[in-house]
């Protein structure tokens, strides 16, 4: 009886339904860790006796950790397989959620929040690697579409659930819930997720190999142009994410429950925007849809700025913010398509660098803006409008000519 060569060893396969459920839970990791306690941000700052800017900085720490962690977890999964790094990441996420829950001061909470999201990033990046292991061609596209619906739905459910949990527990209780979710996901990985990367497919890689790939990516003019626009878009989005709970609750009087509904409406608008893009991109092409979406995003943030300066009531502000999320959903997927156009063999490295730009600049600049101008509607609107203008200028002046080459 012949022994099969390593490359002939069959790959463990999951059914489409099983893969959708397991990978969908992992894909929801990031939105849950960010958005579940969003309605409690004002209460968190008051409880720890700190400023609103430092309360928002807990979101910054989360975003930075999610961005940096992907650069670590992805290569580790290529070297050691998918399951082991994933189990370590999920276990660490659960333990660090408990540390967040018992943090006595804002300083320890910031450190714990960063480490928690650093561990949680494994779920985001490795679930995409598993999808690539399991599916290809049209089936991969279908799976990624299903995962996008999950990742788009999670921001709708998380703040609504967080708003309801606020009725029975404080912000510390939310982190205990996140710890329990981490343990649940660990059980899912242990009992429902097979190892999808065969031993013969694993490689050591190393810093030199990663540097070679990264160097080829950053020499691409189109990629760098999209990267600059994505950085501006990331600042606008994170400003919305980190300031909206303070502005809509403290300045406009929404309760945690009504705020969570308004935030959920924005997340739903983002899903509608992305699906609109999917319907029209075959006719108009990624570049035209991208330029249209990013221009409409600038219009929406400008409208929000006018409403904030004129003291319009909460309804107009909420509508403008929903419009911002709708337009962002139209432009975002097409920007990713353009950025990855020349990097089929380096898509993982390019995606990681693009994600870094989105996750890094917003968490740094939004708290700075809040510290300078205060956490209010005008500061939020000015920051979002300037960031959207930077993105639009980069798109029209640099992305458009680079894409035409």
């Amino acid at each position: 009886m012949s022994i099969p060569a390593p490359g002939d060893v069959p790959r463990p396969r999951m059914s489409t339904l099983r893969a959708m459920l397991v990978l969908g839970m992992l894909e929801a990791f990031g939105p849950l860790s960010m958005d579940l306690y969003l309605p409690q941000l004002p209460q968190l700052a008051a409880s720890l006796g700190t400023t609103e800017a430092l309360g928002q900085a807990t979101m910054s720490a989360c975003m930075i950790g999610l961005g940096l962690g992907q650069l670590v977890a992805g290569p580790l999964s290529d070297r050691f397989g998918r399951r082991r790094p994933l189990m370590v990441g999920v276990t660490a996420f659960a333990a660090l959620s408990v540390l967040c829950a018992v943090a006595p001061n804002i300083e320890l909470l910031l450190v714990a929040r960063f480490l928690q999201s650093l561990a949680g990033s494994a779920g985001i990046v490795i679930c995409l690697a598993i999808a690539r292991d399991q599916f290809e061609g049209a089936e991969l596209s279908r799976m990624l579409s299903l995962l996008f619906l999950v990742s788009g739905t999670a921001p709708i459910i998380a703040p609504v659930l967080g708003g309801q949990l606020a009725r029975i527990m404080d912000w510390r209780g939310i982190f205990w819930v996140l710890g329990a979710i981490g343990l649940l996901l660990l059980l899912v990985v242990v009992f429902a997720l097979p190892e999808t990367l065969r031993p013969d497919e694993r490689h050591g890689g190393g810093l030199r190999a990663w540097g070679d790939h990264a160097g080829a990516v950053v020499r691409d003019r189109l990629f760098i142009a999209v990267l600059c626009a994505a950085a501006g878009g990331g600042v606008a989005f994170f400003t919305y994410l980190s300031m909206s709970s303070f502005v809509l609750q403290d300045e406009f009087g929404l309760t945690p429950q009504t705020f969570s509904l308004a935030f959920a409406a924005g997340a739903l608008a983002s899903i509608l925007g992305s699906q609109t893009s999917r319907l029209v991109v075959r006719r108009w092409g990624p570049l035209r849809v991208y330029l249209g979406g990013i221009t409409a995003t600038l219009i929406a943030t400008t409208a929000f700025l006018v409403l904030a300066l004129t003291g319009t009531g909460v309804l107009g502000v909420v509508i403008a913010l929903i419009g911002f999320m709708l337009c962002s959903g139209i432009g975002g997927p097409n920007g990713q398509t353009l950025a990855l156009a020349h990097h089929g063999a380096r898509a993982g490295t390019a995606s990681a660098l693009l994600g870094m730009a989105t996750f890094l600049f917003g968490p740094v600049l939004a708290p700075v803006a809040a510290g300078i101008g205060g956490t209010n509607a005008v500061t939020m609107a000015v920051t979002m409008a300037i960031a959207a203008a930077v993105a639009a200028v980069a798109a029209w002046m640099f992305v458009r000519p680079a894409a035409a080459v």
Side-chain angles (χ1 to χ4, degrees):
M1 181 177 180
S2 62
I3 299 176
D8 297 329
V9 176
R11 187 190 306 278
R13 294 299 298 253
M14 294 183 286
S15 67
T16 300
L17 177 60
R18 181 180 175 186
M20 181 185 70
L21 293 175
V22 174
L23 299 183
M25 293 178 70
L26 295 172
E27 181 71 13
F29 219 163
L32 281 175
S33 63
M34 284 191 296
D35 299 339
L36 193 62
Y37 84 123
L38 199 57
Q40 296 267 32
L41 269 180
Q43 291 80 5
L44 180 150
S47 170
L48 293 177
T50 188
T51 63
E52 292 181 346
L54 282 176
Q56 294 172 43
T58 62
M59 296 293 295
S60 298
C62 178
M63 292 282 282
I64 293 171
L66 287 174
L68 293 176
Q70 293 183 54
L71 295 177
V72 177
L76 285 178
S77 74
D78 288 337
R79 182 172 184 178
F80 298 108
R82 311 305 185 196
R83 276 170 51 91
R84 278 194 287 173
L86 193 53
M87 286 190 287
V88 171
V90 173
T91 303
F93 176 88
L96 290 163
S97 296
V98 174
L99 182 59
C100 291
V102 300
N105 52 57
I106 189 63
E107 292 80 11
L108 181 58
L109 179 60
L110 286 170
V111 174
R113 190 76 169 122
F114 170 75
L115 295 175
Q116 178 208 38
S117 58
L118 198 71
S121 67
I124 299 174
V125 67
I126 295 178
C127 83
L128 295 179
I130 293 171
R132 291 196 298 271
D133 293 340
Q134 293 282 282
F135 303 96
E136 60 183 12
E139 289 303 311
L140 176 59
S141 298
R142 287 170 57 85
M143 177 54 60
L144 293 180
S145 297
L146 291 172
L147 292 182
F148 178 82
L149 289 177
V150 172
S151 63
T153 304
I156 300 176
I157 298 174
V160 174
L161 178 59
Q164 298 307 311
L165 290 174
R167 296 176 179 272
I168 58 175
M169 63 180 63
D170 61 6
W171 64 271
R172 295 183 186 276
I174 299 295
F175 283 107
W176 283 106
V177 170
L178 286 174
I181 291 173
L183 291 177
L184 175 62
L185 289 177
L186 177 61
L187 294 176
V188 170
V189 172
V190 170
F191 294 107
L193 182 67
E195 177 55 66
T196 60
L197 188 67
R198 296 193 305 255
D200 62 288
E201 295 175 317
R202 303 172 193 179
H203 58 82
L207 289 177
R208 183 174 180 179
W210 187 90
D212 290 340
H213 284 296
V217 171
V218 299
R219 287 192 293 269
D220 178 11
R221 289 177 53 206
L222 177 58
F223 179 86
I224 293 300
V226 176
L227 189 78
C228 293
V235 172
F237 174 74
F238 188 79
T239 301
Y240 163 78
L241 187 67
S242 63
M243 289 193 188
S244 59
S245 61
F246 291 98
V247 169
L248 293 179
Q249 292 184 70
D250 295 346
E251 190 168 340
F252 289 98
L254 296 187
T255 66
Q257 290 72 40
T258 53
F259 162 74
S260 66
L261 294 176
F263 189 84
L268 179 60
S270 179
I271 294 176
L272 293 176
S274 66
Q275 296 307 302
T276 299
S277 170
R278 182 178 62 85
L279 293 175
V280 303
V281 71
R282 284 186 175 178
R283 179 174 181 180
W284 298 104
L287 178 61
R288 295 176 69 182
V289 178
Y290 171 69
L291 293 173
I294 210 164
T295 303
T297 300
L298 175 58
I299 294 172
T301 55
T302 303
F304 174 37
L305 177 58
V306 172
L307 293 171
L309 290 172
T310 56
T312 304
V314 66
L315 180 60
V317 167
V318 169
I319 291 174
L321 292 175
I322 292 174
F324 162 73
M325 292 297 289
L326 175 70
C327 300
S328 297
I330 294 173
N334 295 286
Q336 294 175 335
T337 299
L338 293 170
L340 300 178
H342 302 154
H343 303 289
R346 298 179 291 268
T349 300
S351 297
L353 293 173
L354 191 63
M356 276 286 293
T358 304
F359 278 101
L360 187 60
F361 289 98
V364 172
L365 295 179
V368 171
I372 295 173
T375 305
N376 52 65
V378 173
T379 300
M380 178 180 171
V382 168
T383 306
M384 291 177 64
I386 292 175
V390 169
V393 168
W396 282 97
M397 292 189 65
F398 303 111
V399 175
R400 185 186 182 192
V405 175

